[in-house]
C-alpha cells in the first residue's frame, strides 16, 4: 500500500499507537511488541481491517498520564502491518512499514480502548525540481558507496533507487537517523531537499 492508496475513511478514524522516543518514517520499518490490553485491541482491529495504524511519539512528561491520553507530537507516521504474529498469551509481534507522514487534525472522542485521530496527509513541496533531481543523484551515489560498506547495503541501494526523490530521502533517513528528535524533525519536514 502507498500513501495514495490510503482511503479517506482510514484517515477519518486512524488508530494511534503512542510510543516514547519512537518515530516511524515513510519507507522505514518498525518492529513492535504489543502487550498492553488496549493495544492488543488495536492490533486485532487493525489486522481485521485495513492493516493501517499511526505511530505517535509521546511528549516529555507522558508518564504522569500514561494510562490515559498523554500528549503526543502532532506529526505522526502512518504504517501498514507487513507482518504479524499473535502469541499464545495474546501479545502480538508486528512489523510496520512506513507509508506516509501526517498531521493530527483532531483526536476523536473515545469509543475504543485505544486512541483514534482524524489525520491529514502531509504532501511534499518542491522549490526547485532541478536541484532536487541533482540532490537525488548525489544521494543515490552515496548509497551505492555505503552499500559496499554495510551489511544489507544492497537492499538500501535498491530501495533508494526505486523511488522518487522524496522517497529516496525517506529511505535513507529511516535507515540511518537514530536520534528521536532528529527523526521527529524529518517526519514533519515536507521538503525532500531538506530531508
Amino acid at each position: 500500500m502507498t500513501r495514495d492508496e490510503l482511503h479517506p475513511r482510514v484517515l477519518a478514524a486512524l488508530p494511534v499507537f503512542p510510543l516514547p522516543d519512537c518515530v516511524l518514517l515513510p519507507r522505514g520499518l518498525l518492529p513492535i511488541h504489543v502487550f498492553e490490553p488496549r493495544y492488543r485491541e488495536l492490533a486485532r482491529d487493525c489486522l481485521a481491517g485495513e492493516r493501517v495504524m499511526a505511530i505517535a511519539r509521546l511528549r516529555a512528561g507522558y508518564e504522569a498520564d500514561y494510562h490515559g491520553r498523554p500528549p503526543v507530537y502532532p506529526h505522526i507516521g502512518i504504517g501498514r502491518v507487513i507482518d504479524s504474529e499473535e502469541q499464545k498469551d495474546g501479545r502480538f509481534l508486528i512489523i510496520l512499514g512506513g507509508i506516509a507522514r501526517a498531521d493530527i487534525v483532531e483526536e476523536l472522542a473515545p469509543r475504543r480502548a485505544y486512541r483514534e485521530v482524524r489525520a491529514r496527509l502531509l504532501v511534499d513541496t518542491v522549490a526547485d525540481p532541478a536541484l532536487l533531481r541533482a540532490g537525488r543523484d548525489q544521494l543515490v551515489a552515496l548509497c551505492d558507496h555505503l552499500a559496499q560498506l554495510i551489511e544489507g547495503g544492497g537492499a538500501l541501494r535498491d530501495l533508494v533507487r526505486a523511488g522518487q526523490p522524496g522517497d529516496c530521502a525517506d529511505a535513507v533517513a529511516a535507515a540511518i537517523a537514530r536520534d528521536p528528535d532528529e527523526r521527529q524533525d524529518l517526519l514533519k519536514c515536507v521538503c525532500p531537499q531538506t530531508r
Side-chain angles (χ1 to χ4, degrees):
M1 173 180 283
T2 67
R3 65 171 270 125
D4 297 330
E5 296 170 327
L6 281 170
H7 196 279
R9 77 177 143 62
V10 173
L11 297 172
L14 184 64
V16 175
F17 196 144
L19 293 167
D21 292 328
C22 188
V23 178
L24 176 63
L25 295 171
R27 311 217 17 124
L29 296 175
L30 180 65
I32 304 173
H33 175 206
V34 182
F35 53 89
E36 287 186 50
R38 59 183 165 172
Y39 299 122
R40 289 181 189 193
E41 179 183 343
L42 183 154
R44 279 191 295 278
D45 290 351
C46 181
L47 292 168
E50 298 287 331
R51 300 176 67 90
V52 174
M53 72 174 77
I55 299 297
R57 183 176 171 212
L58 291 164
R59 288 192 176 270
Y62 68 88
E63 299 87 352
D65 190 27
Y66 179 76
H67 294 288
R69 293 175 165 244
V72 296
Y73 285 87
H75 308 290
I76 55 177
I78 299 176
R80 184 168 196 286
V81 176
I82 58 173
D83 195 17
S84 67
E85 182 181 321
E86 185 172 2
Q87 306 298 295
K88 291 178 182 178
D89 63 0
R91 293 175 299 121
F92 287 89
L93 302 176
I94 290 177
I95 298 179
L96 283 180
I99 55 175
R101 53 177 47 81
D103 278 339
I104 295 174
V105 175
E106 69 176 322
E107 185 160 343
L108 303 178
R111 61 185 187 133
R112 294 189 164 82
Y114 56 87
R115 296 162 78 171
E116 295 176 294
V117 300
R118 185 166 57 91
R120 176 182 62 90
L121 291 178
L122 295 176
V123 179
D124 280 353
T125 58
V126 177
D128 185 346
L131 186 58
L132 181 61
R133 281 189 299 278
R136 180 191 184 279
D137 292 344
Q138 289 176 327
L139 193 54
V140 167
L142 177 64
C143 283
D144 285 347
H145 177 70
L146 184 61
Q148 297 171 5
L149 303 174
I150 63 172
E151 185 176 333
L156 175 61
R157 182 184 58 236
D158 295 344
L159 187 62
V160 167
R161 288 179 170 276
Q164 297 296 316
D167 297 334
C168 176
D170 287 336
V172 172
I176 64 174
R178 293 289 165 241
D179 179 73
D181 292 330
E182 181 181 9
R183 289 176 70 88
Q184 192 70 46
D185 287 343
L186 289 164
L187 182 65
K188 70 181 179 182
C189 181
V190 295
C191 176
Q193 289 166 271
T194 302
R195 291 197 308 268

